[in-house]
Amino acid sequence: MNKTFLITGASSGLGEIFSKSILDIAKTIIAVGRNKNKLVKLKKEINKLKPSIDVFIISTDLSKEEGLKKLFKEFEKQKKIKFVDVLINSAANFTVKKIDKINLKELKNDFQINTISPFMISKYFGLKMKKKKRGTIINIGSSSSYDCSENTSIYCSTKHALLGMTKAFNSELKSYGVKSIFIAPGSMKTAMGRKVKNQDFNTFIDPHEIANIMKYLLINEKSMSIDELKIKRSIYK
Ligand SMILES: NC(=O)c1ccc[n+]([C@@H]2O[C@H](COP(=O)([O-])OP(=O)(O)OC[C@H]3O[C@@H](n4cnc5c(N)ncnc54)[C@H](OP(=O)(O)O)[C@@H]3O)[C@@H](O)[C@H]2O)c1
Protein backbone atom coordinates (compact mmCIF):
# COMPACT_ATOMS: atom_id res chain seq x y z
CA MET A 1 0.00 0.00 0.00
CA ASN A 2 1.37 3.37 -1.00
CA LYS A 3 -1.21 5.78 0.29
CA THR A 4 -1.17 9.53 0.65
CA PHE A 5 -2.44 10.74 4.01
CA LEU A 6 -3.44 14.18 5.22
CA ILE A 7 -3.59 14.29 9.01
CA THR A 8 -4.76 17.28 11.01
CA GLY A 9 -3.61 17.42 14.61
CA ALA A 10 -0.42 15.63 13.53
CA SER A 11 1.72 17.69 15.88
CA SER A 12 0.44 16.02 19.07
CA GLY A 13 -1.44 13.16 20.70
CA LEU A 14 -3.41 10.75 18.56
CA GLY A 15 -2.62 12.49 15.25
CA GLU A 16 1.11 12.36 15.94
CA ILE A 17 1.02 8.72 17.07
CA PHE A 18 -1.10 7.71 14.07
CA SER A 19 1.33 9.50 11.71
CA LYS A 20 4.18 7.36 13.05
CA SER A 21 2.15 4.15 12.90
CA ILE A 22 1.51 4.14 9.14
CA LEU A 23 5.06 4.03 7.84
CA ASP A 24 4.45 0.66 6.13
CA ILE A 25 1.33 1.80 4.29
CA ALA A 26 2.15 5.46 3.51
CA LYS A 27 3.95 6.91 0.53
CA THR A 28 3.26 10.51 1.49
CA ILE A 29 2.16 12.15 4.72
CA ILE A 30 0.87 15.71 4.83
CA ALA A 31 1.14 16.61 8.51
CA VAL A 32 -1.05 19.53 9.57
CA GLY A 33 -0.80 21.28 12.93
CA ARG A 34 -0.36 24.67 14.49
CA ASN A 35 3.07 24.26 16.06
CA LYS A 36 5.67 24.28 13.27
CA ASN A 37 8.54 23.08 15.48
CA LYS A 38 6.58 19.99 16.52
CA LEU A 39 5.76 19.25 12.86
CA VAL A 40 9.41 19.62 11.82
CA LYS A 41 10.37 17.21 14.64
CA LEU A 42 7.74 14.73 13.46
CA LYS A 43 9.02 14.93 9.88
CA LYS A 44 12.59 14.23 11.08
CA GLU A 45 11.45 11.29 13.21
CA ILE A 46 9.47 9.74 10.35
CA ASN A 47 12.29 10.20 7.85
CA LYS A 48 14.82 8.72 10.28
CA LEU A 49 12.70 5.58 10.43
CA LYS A 50 11.74 5.60 6.74
CA PRO A 51 13.59 8.06 4.47
CA SER A 52 11.49 7.12 1.42
CA ILE A 53 8.31 8.68 2.84
CA ASP A 54 7.62 12.21 1.62
CA VAL A 55 6.51 14.30 4.58
CA PHE A 56 5.01 17.72 3.88
CA ILE A 57 4.18 19.94 6.78
CA ILE A 58 1.48 22.58 6.88
CA SER A 59 1.44 24.78 9.95
CA THR A 60 -1.85 26.61 10.25
CA ASP A 61 -4.51 27.67 12.73
CA LEU A 62 -7.72 25.80 11.93
CA SER A 63 -9.75 27.89 14.35
CA LYS A 64 -9.59 30.67 11.76
CA GLU A 65 -11.07 30.87 8.27
CA GLU A 66 -7.74 32.23 6.99
CA GLY A 67 -6.02 29.19 8.50
CA LEU A 68 -8.33 26.91 6.56
CA LYS A 69 -7.64 28.84 3.33
CA LYS A 70 -3.90 28.57 4.06
CA LEU A 71 -4.19 24.77 4.24
CA PHE A 72 -5.76 24.58 0.77
CA LYS A 73 -3.31 27.13 -0.65
CA GLU A 74 -0.28 25.25 0.71
CA PHE A 75 -1.67 21.98 -0.64
CA GLU A 76 -2.17 23.50 -4.09
CA LYS A 77 1.25 25.19 -4.03
CA GLN A 78 3.13 21.92 -3.97
CA LYS A 79 2.79 20.28 -7.35
CA LYS A 80 3.77 16.75 -6.33
CA ILE A 81 0.54 15.61 -4.68
CA LYS A 82 -2.76 15.86 -6.46
CA PHE A 83 -4.78 13.36 -4.47
CA VAL A 84 -5.21 12.37 -0.83
CA ASP A 85 -6.29 8.74 -0.27
CA VAL A 86 -6.93 9.08 3.45
CA LEU A 87 -7.94 12.20 5.35
CA ILE A 88 -7.75 12.14 9.15
CA ASN A 89 -9.52 14.97 10.98
CA SER A 90 -7.98 14.76 14.45
CA ALA A 91 -7.26 18.41 15.38
CA ALA A 92 -9.60 19.74 18.05
CA ASN A 93 -9.86 21.99 21.05
CA PHE A 94 -11.36 20.99 24.38
CA THR A 95 -12.81 23.84 26.42
CA VAL A 96 -13.77 23.17 30.02
CA LYS A 97 -16.18 25.87 31.19
CA LYS A 98 -19.62 26.34 32.74
CA ILE A 99 -22.34 27.46 30.29
CA ASP A 100 -22.77 30.80 32.09
CA LYS A 101 -19.08 31.66 31.54
CA ILE A 102 -19.04 30.91 27.80
CA ASN A 103 -19.00 33.73 25.28
CA LEU A 104 -19.78 33.74 21.56
CA LYS A 105 -16.13 34.13 20.57
CA GLU A 106 -15.13 30.91 22.36
CA LEU A 107 -18.13 29.07 20.96
CA LYS A 108 -17.31 30.13 17.39
CA ASN A 109 -13.60 29.36 17.87
CA ASP A 110 -14.24 25.76 18.89
CA PHE A 111 -16.96 25.16 16.31
CA GLN A 112 -14.49 26.38 13.69
CA ILE A 113 -11.69 24.02 14.73
CA ASN A 114 -13.80 21.01 15.82
CA THR A 115 -16.58 21.04 13.22
CA ILE A 116 -16.40 23.66 10.45
CA SER A 117 -12.77 23.04 9.49
CA PRO A 118 -13.24 19.24 9.36
CA PHE A 119 -16.38 19.80 7.27
CA MET A 120 -14.63 22.09 4.76
CA ILE A 121 -11.47 19.94 4.61
CA SER A 122 -13.66 16.86 4.04
CA LYS A 123 -15.56 18.75 1.34
CA TYR A 124 -12.34 19.80 -0.40
CA PHE A 125 -10.67 16.38 -0.41
CA GLY A 126 -13.94 14.36 -0.41
CA LEU A 127 -15.01 15.86 -3.74
CA LYS A 128 -11.64 14.92 -5.27
CA MET A 129 -12.19 11.40 -3.87
CA LYS A 130 -15.69 11.33 -5.35
CA LYS A 131 -14.23 12.03 -8.82
CA LYS A 132 -11.76 9.15 -8.40
CA LYS A 133 -14.42 6.95 -6.82
CA ARG A 134 -12.20 6.05 -3.86
CA GLY A 135 -10.96 7.48 -0.58
CA THR A 136 -11.47 7.39 3.16
CA ILE A 137 -12.16 10.12 5.67
CA ILE A 138 -11.71 9.37 9.37
CA ASN A 139 -13.24 11.87 11.77
CA ILE A 140 -12.11 11.66 15.38
CA GLY A 141 -15.16 12.13 17.54
CA SER A 142 -15.43 11.39 21.21
CA SER A 143 -17.63 9.80 23.84
CA SER A 144 -18.88 13.42 24.00
CA SER A 145 -20.46 12.82 20.57
CA TYR A 146 -23.06 10.71 22.40
CA ASP A 147 -23.12 11.82 26.04
CA CYS A 148 -22.30 15.08 27.74
CA SER A 149 -20.77 15.88 31.09
CA GLU A 150 -20.79 19.10 33.07
CA ASN A 151 -18.58 21.99 31.88
CA THR A 152 -18.03 20.57 28.40
CA SER A 153 -21.04 22.03 26.57
CA ILE A 154 -19.03 23.54 23.69
CA TYR A 155 -16.94 20.42 23.09
CA CYS A 156 -19.99 18.19 23.41
CA SER A 157 -21.96 20.30 20.91
CA THR A 158 -19.12 20.36 18.36
CA LYS A 159 -18.51 16.62 18.63
CA HIS A 160 -22.24 15.79 18.28
CA ALA A 161 -22.22 17.92 15.12
CA LEU A 162 -19.14 16.08 13.84
CA LEU A 163 -21.05 12.80 14.12
CA GLY A 164 -23.94 14.29 12.12
CA MET A 165 -21.47 15.57 9.55
CA THR A 166 -19.88 12.11 9.17
CA LYS A 167 -23.31 10.54 8.57
CA ALA A 168 -24.18 13.27 6.06
CA PHE A 169 -20.97 12.70 4.09
CA ASN A 170 -21.67 8.97 4.01
CA SER A 171 -25.17 9.53 2.74
CA GLU A 172 -23.87 11.65 -0.16
CA LEU A 173 -20.46 10.17 -0.97
CA LYS A 174 -20.46 6.51 0.07
CA SER A 175 -22.16 5.38 -3.13
CA TYR A 176 -19.21 6.98 -4.99
CA GLY A 177 -16.71 4.85 -3.07
CA VAL A 178 -15.84 7.51 -0.47
CA LYS A 179 -16.09 6.22 3.09
CA SER A 180 -16.44 8.39 6.16
CA ILE A 181 -15.56 6.64 9.41
CA PHE A 182 -16.34 8.01 12.86
CA ILE A 183 -14.00 6.98 15.68
CA ALA A 184 -15.28 7.96 19.10
CA PRO A 185 -12.81 7.23 21.89
CA GLY A 186 -13.31 7.82 25.57
CA SER A 187 -10.67 9.79 27.48
CA MET A 188 -7.15 9.20 26.17
CA LYS A 189 -3.67 9.58 27.66
CA THR A 190 -2.75 12.73 25.71
CA ALA A 191 -2.26 16.44 26.43
CA MET A 192 -5.99 16.93 25.90
CA GLY A 193 -6.76 14.07 28.28
CA ARG A 194 -4.83 15.94 30.99
CA LYS A 195 -7.58 18.59 30.92
CA VAL A 196 -10.21 16.03 32.01
CA LYS A 197 -10.75 16.54 35.71
CA ASN A 198 -12.19 14.20 38.38
CA GLN A 199 -11.17 11.08 36.46
CA ASP A 200 -8.12 8.89 36.89
CA PHE A 201 -5.67 9.60 34.04
CA ASN A 202 -4.08 6.18 34.61
CA THR A 203 -7.28 4.51 33.43
CA PHE A 204 -7.40 6.52 30.18
CA ILE A 205 -7.06 4.80 26.80
CA ASP A 206 -3.58 4.48 25.33
CA PRO A 207 -3.80 6.45 22.03
CA HIS A 208 -1.51 3.84 20.39
CA GLU A 209 -4.43 1.39 20.67
CA ILE A 210 -6.76 3.83 18.89
CA ALA A 211 -4.12 4.42 16.18
CA ASN A 212 -3.88 0.63 15.73
CA ILE A 213 -7.64 0.38 15.22
CA MET A 214 -7.60 3.20 12.68
CA LYS A 215 -4.87 1.47 10.73
CA TYR A 216 -6.67 -1.88 10.97
CA LEU A 217 -9.78 -0.34 9.41
CA LEU A 218 -7.72 1.07 6.54
CA ILE A 219 -6.04 -2.25 5.84
CA ASN A 220 -9.23 -4.32 6.06
CA GLU A 221 -11.59 -2.40 3.83
CA LYS A 222 -12.08 -4.56 0.75
CA SER A 223 -15.36 -6.21 1.68
CA MET A 224 -16.35 -4.53 4.95
CA SER A 225 -17.22 -1.05 5.96
CA ILE A 226 -17.37 0.29 9.52
CA ASP A 227 -19.12 3.64 9.79
CA GLU A 228 -18.92 4.28 13.49
CA LEU A 229 -16.84 2.97 16.39
CA LYS A 230 -17.45 3.79 20.04
CA ILE A 231 -14.36 2.91 22.06
CA LYS A 232 -14.59 2.90 25.84
CA ARG A 233 -12.03 2.57 28.59
CA SER A 234 -11.82 -0.89 30.11
CA ILE A 235 -11.58 0.59 33.61
CA TYR A 236 -13.64 3.64 34.53
CA LYS A 237 -12.38 5.54 37.60
N1 LIG B 1 -7.64 13.15 24.75
C1 LIG B 1 -8.85 12.73 24.99
O1 LIG B 1 -9.21 12.42 26.13
C2 LIG B 1 -9.82 12.57 23.85
C3 LIG B 1 -10.96 11.79 24.05
C4 LIG B 1 -11.86 11.60 23.01
C5 LIG B 1 -11.61 12.19 21.80
N2 LIG B 1 -10.50 12.96 21.61
C6 LIG B 1 -10.28 13.55 20.30
O2 LIG B 1 -9.09 13.03 19.77
C7 LIG B 1 -8.53 13.96 18.83
C8 LIG B 1 -7.05 14.14 19.14
O3 LIG B 1 -6.92 14.75 20.41
P1 LIG B 1 -5.63 14.49 21.31
O4 LIG B 1 -6.08 13.86 22.55
O5 LIG B 1 -4.59 13.86 20.48
O6 LIG B 1 -5.25 16.00 21.68
P2 LIG B 1 -3.89 16.79 21.71
O7 LIG B 1 -2.75 15.93 22.06
O8 LIG B 1 -4.18 17.99 22.54
O9 LIG B 1 -3.71 17.24 20.18
C9 LIG B 1 -4.60 18.15 19.58
C10 LIG B 1 -4.09 18.45 18.20
O10 LIG B 1 -4.99 19.41 17.61
C11 LIG B 1 -4.22 20.50 17.11
N3 LIG B 1 -4.94 21.76 17.22
C12 LIG B 1 -5.57 22.26 18.32
N4 LIG B 1 -6.05 23.49 18.05
C13 LIG B 1 -5.71 23.75 16.77
C14 LIG B 1 -5.91 24.85 15.91
N5 LIG B 1 -6.56 25.94 16.32
N6 LIG B 1 -5.44 24.79 14.64
C15 LIG B 1 -4.76 23.69 14.20
N7 LIG B 1 -4.55 22.61 14.96
C16 LIG B 1 -5.00 22.65 16.24
C17 LIG B 1 -2.98 20.54 17.98
O11 LIG B 1 -1.98 21.26 17.28
P3 LIG B 1 -0.76 22.02 18.04
O12 LIG B 1 -0.23 21.06 19.07
O13 LIG B 1 0.22 22.24 16.92
O14 LIG B 1 -1.33 23.27 18.62
C18 LIG B 1 -2.69 19.06 18.16
O15 LIG B 1 -1.96 18.56 17.08
C19 LIG B 1 -9.36 15.23 18.98
O16 LIG B 1 -10.29 15.29 17.92
C20 LIG B 1 -10.08 15.04 20.30
O17 LIG B 1 -11.28 15.75 20.36
C21 LIG B 1 -9.59 13.16 22.60
Side-chain angles (χ1 to χ4, degrees):
M1 290 221 267
N2 279 320
K3 291 186 185 294
T4 295
F5 288 80
L6 187 141
I7 302 161
T8 75
S11 47
S12 175
L14 179 61
E16 181 187 353
I17 290 164
F18 179 75
S19 302
K20 292 181 194 162
S21 76
I22 49 169
L23 306 192
D24 53 334
I25 58 169
K27 174 172 64 81
T28 307
I29 298 172
I30 306 164
V32 182
R34 221 171 7 180
N35 186 318
K36 194 168 178 188
N37 292 338
K38 285 206 250 169
L39 292 171
V40 170
K41 187 168 166 268
L42 174 72
K43 179 177 158 69
K44 278 188 189 151
E45 283 171 4
I46 290 175
N47 282 147
K48 198 170 170 199
L49 293 166
K50 194 143 182 204
S52 61
I53 295 187
D54 281 327
V55 183
F56 293 89
I57 57 176
I58 301 179
S59 146
T60 192
D61 185 348
L62 293 175
S63 69
K64 300 195 164 51
E65 250 184 86
E66 306 80 65
L68 190 56
K69 282 186 196 150
K70 183 180 171 192
L71 192 164
F72 301 138
K73 224 166 130 186
E74 295 278 310
F75 177 77
E76 282 159 13
K77 229 167 56 188
Q78 56 74 36
K79 300 281 172 234
K80 238 177 144 183
I81 317 159
K82 294 270 172 283
F83 184 71
V84 164
D85 298 282
V86 182
L87 164 64
I88 311 285
N89 283 310
S90 186
N93 191 42
F94 177 57
T95 295
V96 182
K97 227 171 210 188
K98 284 213 169 301
I99 290 171
D100 52 9
K101 300 269 185 246
I102 292 164
N103 62 46
L104 184 60
K105 200 172 162 214
E106 288 165 322
L107 184 64
K108 281 186 171 173
N109 181 80
D110 285 9
F111 260 99
Q112 186 73 37
I113 159 99
N114 294 5
T115 315
I116 296 171
S117 284
F119 190 111
M120 296 309 288
I121 298 168
S122 300
K123 179 187 167 192
Y124 182 89
F125 291 103
L127 293 182
K128 291 180 192 292
M129 292 173 182
K130 182 183 172 187
K131 270 196 190 153
K132 286 230 182 191
K133 296 201 166 12
R134 67 183 168 87
T136 305
I137 298 168
I138 297 184
N139 292 319
I140 307 301
S142 163
S143 51
S144 298
S145 301
Y146 303 92
D147 303 306
C148 294
S149 53
E150 238 183 295
N151 303 328
T152 63
S153 59
I154 301 185
Y155 185 71
C156 190
S157 305
T158 62
K159 290 291 183 181
H160 269 66
L162 192 69
L163 173 59
M165 176 201 127
T166 310
K167 290 179 180 175
F169 270 69
N170 265 334
S171 69
E172 286 195 30
L173 299 185
K174 206 174 186 182
S175 58
Y176 293 91
V178 182
K179 289 179 190 173
S180 293
I181 303 174
F182 195 71
I183 306 278
S187 301
M188 287 189 289
K189 283 181 182 152
T190 63
M192 188 183 289
R194 293 251 172 235
K195 289 190 186 172
V196 178
K197 300 294 172 216
N198 309 321
Q199 292 177 20
D200 183 354
F201 189 79
N202 294 317
T203 65
F204 288 7
I205 300 169
D206 178 347
H208 291 88
E209 294 189 19
I210 306 293
N212 287 345
I213 286 181
M214 290 160 65
K215 188 175 167 188
Y216 180 87
L217 294 180
L218 293 170
I219 294 170
N220 299 284
E221 59 164 8
K222 276 208 179 94
S223 63
M224 71 168 185
S225 164
I226 291 174
D227 293 348
E228 210 173 318
L229 263 189
K230 273 188 191 183
I231 305 161
K232 296 186 176 179
R233 283 185 261 166
S234 38
I235 303 167
Y236 198 92
K237 277 205 279 184

